[in-house]
Amino acid sequence: MTIKLSPEQLEAFGQELDELRNRTMADLGQADADYLRSVIKAQRAFEGAGRALFYLPPAWPLAVAALSVSKILDNMEIGHNVMHGQYDWMGDPQLNSRMYEWDTVCPSEQWKYSHNYIHHTYTNILGKDRDIGYGILRMDKDQQWRPNHLLNPVNAFLLMVFFQWGVLLHDLEVEEIAAGRRTWGDTKHLHRGMIRKVRRQVLKDYVLFPLLTGPFAPLTLAGNVGANLMRNLWTFSIIFCGHFPAGVESFSIEETEGESRGGWYYRQMLGSANITGSPLFHIMSGNLSHQIEHHLFPDMPAARYPTIAPEVKAIADKYGLEYNSKSLSKQLGSVYVKIAKLALPDSMEDLRRGLRLPFLGRRKATPATPPTPTSDAAEVAATFPRVDVESAVQDADPGLVGAGV
């Protein structure tokens, strides 16, 4: 897309958002810590209730519901936000982004690299942000249509149902392996951590807790499957509504070369969308219903996003930028329409061009290189405690990052 603001406007735009961020971060204190600990207390209470109710077969639906709420809180309002470093300032080792491990099959260390670094640094840059379609979906019209995109709706459904497994496989870049651009050997350094985490989650949810309920083990097993499914459906919906509804913009690599701090904020604001709802809805979404504020300030405690949202919107309005915020039904509906629409080529020329391509774009493997952060983008990312660009690049195995979407 064409950048609508002049360099001077972008600088002023960035300064206003910097001022908002600095003012909010300076105000963090006991109330924020108490809030997070209250959410953790509630999450543990729901989990305990769910586990206990599995001993009462008539209460099975309630057990599944309680365990589902527990898993959603653990993943969204606690795990995602703690691993962003939003609460590192508390000095609590159990709530430190470097120590926290969440209740899902994807190891936290691998998720932090692909999400905190790759996705949040290169948000909506085609060819760098692998979250655009997760390697299996066509979610932007500028992605070259290929015959495999006819499966867009099917692949989206499977990704929704098995979302935690999709997040796990995201780092493997299976689509790159299938296309011949990577090999399994390139991902060897990931395997041990994945196997260890998957083994732990499977034993916990599908062996240990079912066996603890004795004769009710089959019901408990089914309940755990159901709770994980509910968590998958919810997280998929919230995340896709924050990134892929109508009106969200994408950017080319060329457009973001030499990007300023204001330009980075500009891309984050136009590359994400909010979902309106009640306070309870925002908590259950991990406050990712305020995806715009999250992408602007990923290290800010998410519970602050509803408070600053009016100021962010006022800044967007001042500079004539769209502040994309709609109800869940409207955002989700537009996501489904996009998934279906982009399954098809945009024109007969796209169809002819796509049919001349291999099904998965298979070609000879070439050494993958990590994306090189533009100087200012790296500077912006480096200001966030958990988005340590320099160390991420130094520590990263080149095989972690493929050749792009």
Side-chain angles (χ1 to χ4, degrees):
M1 69 168 296
T2 303
I3 307 299
K4 299 175 181 176
L5 302 182
S6 68
E8 293 75 18
Q9 289 174 314
L10 282 176
E11 183 178 356
F13 174 68
Q15 287 175 350
E16 292 200 42
L17 288 170
D18 273 345
E19 192 279 329
L20 174 58
R21 177 183 184 275
N22 294 338
R23 175 160 39 89
T24 306
M25 297 298 278
D27 188 51
L28 299 181
Q30 190 61 43
D32 300 276
D34 289 346
Y35 168 78
L36 179 62
R37 291 196 169 106
S38 70
V39 173
I40 293 173
K41 186 177 180 180
Q43 180 266 323
R44 290 175 178 171
F46 275 110
E47 180 174 11
R51 301 293 183 196
L53 287 171
F54 279 130
Y55 288 92
L56 301 171
W60 187 84
L62 290 176
V64 176
L67 193 57
S68 299
V69 170
S70 167
K71 285 179 173 289
I72 288 171
L73 287 174
D74 175 87
N75 271 209
M76 307 290 275
E77 185 67 326
I78 304 171
H80 172 275
N81 295 335
V82 167
M83 290 193 295
H84 259 292
Q86 295 179 2
Y87 295 95
D88 284 1
W89 55 271
M90 289 171 57
D92 185 338
Q94 294 184 341
L95 300 175
N96 186 282
S97 60
R98 295 182 184 274
M99 306 293 290
Y100 196 85
E101 188 60 67
W102 57 354
D103 181 23
T104 183
V105 293
C106 182
S108 62
E109 283 304 316
Q110 294 179 20
W111 178 84
K112 283 187 286 188
Y113 177 79
S114 61
H115 181 82
N116 289 4
Y117 170 49
I118 296 293
H119 172 58
H120 273 276
T121 303
Y122 304 106
T123 305
N124 280 26
I125 300 178
L126 280 169
K128 286 195 172 184
D129 182 3
R130 295 192 61 253
D131 280 23
I132 302 178
Y134 294 87
I136 59 173
L137 301 174
R138 184 175 183 238
M139 295 303 299
D140 190 281
K141 61 181 177 55
D142 289 332
Q143 287 175 283
Q144 173 64 57
W145 182 85
R146 294 178 182 278
N148 58 294
H149 291 136
L150 291 170
L151 298 174
N152 239 22
V154 175
N155 288 337
F157 175 77
L158 293 174
L159 180 61
M160 178 173 60
V161 171
F162 300 102
F163 193 62
Q164 68 164 334
W165 298 94
V167 173
L168 170 72
L169 298 176
H170 192 42
D171 281 346
L172 286 178
E173 301 184 39
V174 175
E175 79 285 358
E176 294 293 308
I177 296 173
R181 292 187 282 265
R182 298 190 74 186
T183 67
W184 284 109
D186 294 333
T187 65
K188 186 177 179 181
H189 59 287
L190 300 172
H191 297 172
R192 179 175 296 180
M194 286 181 167
I195 292 171
R196 184 167 54 240
K197 189 66 191 296
V198 168
R199 182 173 57 208
R200 172 182 161 182
Q201 292 298 114
V202 169
L203 285 175
K204 176 176 73 68
D205 279 343
Y206 305 133
V207 179
L208 177 62
F209 278 114
L211 288 178
L212 286 175
T213 57
F216 308 124
L219 282 176
T220 305
L221 173 62
N224 287 345
V225 171
N228 281 325
L229 174 61
M230 294 300 292
R231 187 266 319 278
N232 289 347
L233 300 180
W234 181 253
T235 52
F236 173 94
S237 300
I238 296 299
I239 291 170
F240 269 59
C241 285
H243 294 90
F244 305 119
V248 168
E249 303 284 356
S250 64
F251 302 80
S252 67
I253 294 174
E254 294 74 19
E255 286 172 331
T256 57
E257 288 180 349
E259 186 178 61
S260 66
R261 186 178 184 82
W264 187 87
Y265 277 134
Y266 179 93
R267 176 162 54 83
Q268 303 300 325
M269 178 173 284
L270 297 188
S272 50
N274 284 3
I275 314 167
T276 58
S278 68
L280 178 60
F281 171 79
H282 294 317
I283 293 173
M284 294 304 294
S285 74
N287 278 295
L288 294 178
S289 47
H290 291 86
Q291 197 68 238
I292 293 173
E293 286 72 23
H294 175 58
H295 265 272
L296 292 172
F297 312 118
D299 63 334
M300 180 184 293
R304 290 281 186 147
Y305 296 154
T307 304
I308 68 169
E311 289 189 68
V312 172
K313 184 179 185 305
I315 294 173
D317 291 342
K318 178 179 178 180
Y319 289 89
L321 302 178
E322 182 179 3
Y323 185 86
N324 191 334
S325 183
K326 297 182 177 67
S327 66
L328 177 65
S329 59
K330 288 184 178 178
Q331 299 289 42
L332 199 55
S334 70
V335 168
Y336 289 153
V337 169
K338 180 181 286 187
I339 289 171
K341 186 176 180 180
L342 293 180
L344 303 174
D346 299 325
S347 64
M348 289 304 296
E349 177 57 29
D350 284 343
L351 175 62
R352 285 190 289 269
R353 188 185 303 121
L355 291 177
R356 289 196 294 268
L357 297 172
F359 189 69
L360 288 172
R362 188 176 181 84
R363 60 177 170 78
K364 186 177 179 180
T366 54
T369 55
T372 303
T374 57
S375 57
D376 289 325
E379 181 183 341
V380 170
T383 64
F384 304 130
R386 302 307 328 126
V387 187
D388 188 345
V389 175
E390 291 187 3
S391 62
V393 171
Q394 291 169 0
D395 295 342
D397 185 302
L400 271 173
V401 183
V405 178

